[in-house]
Amino acid sequence: VSLDEHSFADIVQIISKASMLVSMHGAQLVTSLFLPRGAIVVELFPYAVNPEHYTPYKTIASLPGMDLQYVAWQNTKEENSIAFPDRPWDQGGIAHLEKEEQDRILKSKEVPRHLCCRNPEWLFRIYQDTSVDIPSLLEVLRQTVKSKPNLKKFKPASTIHPGKVREPKCQASVQGTNEAKLTVSWQIPWNLKYLKVREVKYEVWIQEQGENTYMPYILPHQNYTFSENIKPFTTYLVWIRCIFNKTLLGPFADVLMCRT
């Protein structure tokens, strides 16, 4: 199926009759919404792109009522990739970067966690061409795909996710020319007090303004002071969300801008 050559109506018609959808990671996988129940979604990832860090289509497959089986395959052989370092930056090129940074990206075995979507290492890797190793793909399919479930026995479960954390705040203090602290606090989501939840955690992302990477933290409580990697006289962006039972993710609260 080609998004360029087929109309949207044709794409829906084709995919709605498919038993398996295979695609490289990308926005075209949103068409998995039109697969019939019991179908298989196979998402292919380029070299150095960890499938565990990019899960929107895995999430779609697991939504109540979808009943899709999801498989992720990653190219682990650098020789099966073709990169394009001389392309424009927004198509994965890295020629505009300092030589030292180019060398680091070329040697890297995995793209570090980052915020979407302008990270140069992420763009460099995601725009690679990939030669898919068919035997390894078939092995992943054999290990992952089960016989089709008896769909009559499956009913969509009612799942409640956390709401936004309330009243997020940050406060900074400078200890000296080289030391600073950042205290972040918030109130529990509005719906937490109405639910019986086994485990509640909070995920906090801290990003130095102007940088492409961020520092993620999983915390058990609502008030925390960060000192590691916090620099004085620097602006940080902070995102906070609640997680129920390790897998049910709430939305991020509005971003905080904190100046040390």
Side-chain angles (χ1 to χ4, degrees):
V1 177
S2 169
L3 299 183
D4 295 324
E5 298 176 6
H6 292 86
S7 69
F8 180 71
D10 288 341
I11 291 171
V12 172
Q13 185 177 30
I14 294 169
I15 290 179
S16 65
K17 297 176 182 178
S19 59
M20 181 182 293
L21 176 62
V22 182
S23 173
M24 292 299 296
H25 172 78
Q28 68 280 357
L29 270 166
V30 76
T31 57
S32 62
L33 286 167
F34 304 108
L35 284 167
R37 294 172 65 197
I40 301 164
V41 180
V42 183
E43 185 172 10
L44 310 176
F45 287 85
Y47 177 77
V49 179
N50 187 340
E52 293 300 318
H53 295 173
Y54 311 94
T55 59
Y57 308 110
K58 181 179 181 180
T59 301
I60 287 177
S62 65
L63 290 175
M66 293 297 290
D67 291 316
L68 300 176
Q69 296 190 68
Y70 174 86
V71 178
W73 174 88
Q74 181 187 7
N75 175 28
T76 58
K77 299 178 180 179
E78 189 171 9
E79 61 269 23
N80 285 350
S81 291
I82 302 174
F84 302 94
D86 296 323
R87 281 182 173 175
W89 72 268
D90 57 349
Q91 297 176 25
I94 56 173
H96 63 291
L97 301 174
E98 297 289 339
K99 183 65 166 58
E100 183 179 352
E101 179 65 2
Q102 292 184 45
D103 291 341
R104 185 196 66 77
I105 290 174
L106 291 170
K107 293 176 183 177
S108 175
K109 303 297 182 183
E110 181 175 305
V111 177
R113 287 185 180 272
H114 60 93
L115 296 175
C116 190
C117 295
R118 299 167 65 91
N119 181 282
E121 185 170 350
W122 152 254
L123 291 170
F124 174 72
R125 293 302 184 185
I126 207 63
Y127 275 102
Q128 297 172 113
D129 283 349
T130 300
S131 176
V132 176
D133 182 69
I134 299 301
S136 70
L137 174 59
L138 292 176
E139 181 60 28
V140 169
L141 286 170
R142 279 193 290 268
Q143 292 177 0
T144 308
V145 175
K146 304 172 184 176
S147 58
K148 287 189 177 182
N150 184 351
L151 300 177
K152 293 182 180 179
K153 294 183 179 179
F154 285 78
K155 295 182 179 179
S158 177
T159 303
I160 299 178
H161 288 251
K164 282 186 180 182
V165 300
R166 297 170 299 137
E167 302 177 28
K169 300 176 182 177
C170 61
Q171 184 174 356
S173 60
V174 176
Q175 311 299 312
T177 55
N178 296 316
E179 294 183 35
K181 292 183 178 181
L182 187 64
T183 298
V184 181
S185 62
W186 58 90
Q187 298 298 316
I188 65 172
W190 69 271
N191 59 344
L192 179 56
K193 63 182 179 181
Y194 302 109
L195 303 172
K196 292 182 179 179
V197 180
R198 293 192 311 275
E199 182 181 53
V200 178
K201 298 283 188 180
Y202 297 95
E203 185 172 18
V204 177
W205 295 2
I206 299 180
Q207 179 192 32
E208 183 179 339
Q209 190 175 43
E211 296 294 322
N212 289 309
T213 57
Y214 65 92
M215 298 174 287
Y217 301 89
I218 301 294
L219 305 172
H221 44 76
Q222 300 152 237
N223 187 305
Y224 197 84
T225 298
F226 301 90
S227 57
E228 186 178 359
N229 298 319
I230 301 299
K231 298 183 289 190
F233 315 113
T234 303
T235 299
Y236 291 93
L237 306 179
V238 180
W239 290 263
I240 310 164
R241 68 177 170 186
C242 182
I243 303 175
F244 288 171
N245 302 333
K246 296 182 180 179
T247 59
L248 300 178
L249 308 179
F252 281 105
D254 293 341
V255 61
L256 296 174
M257 185 170 290
C258 313
R259 174 76 179 175
T260 58

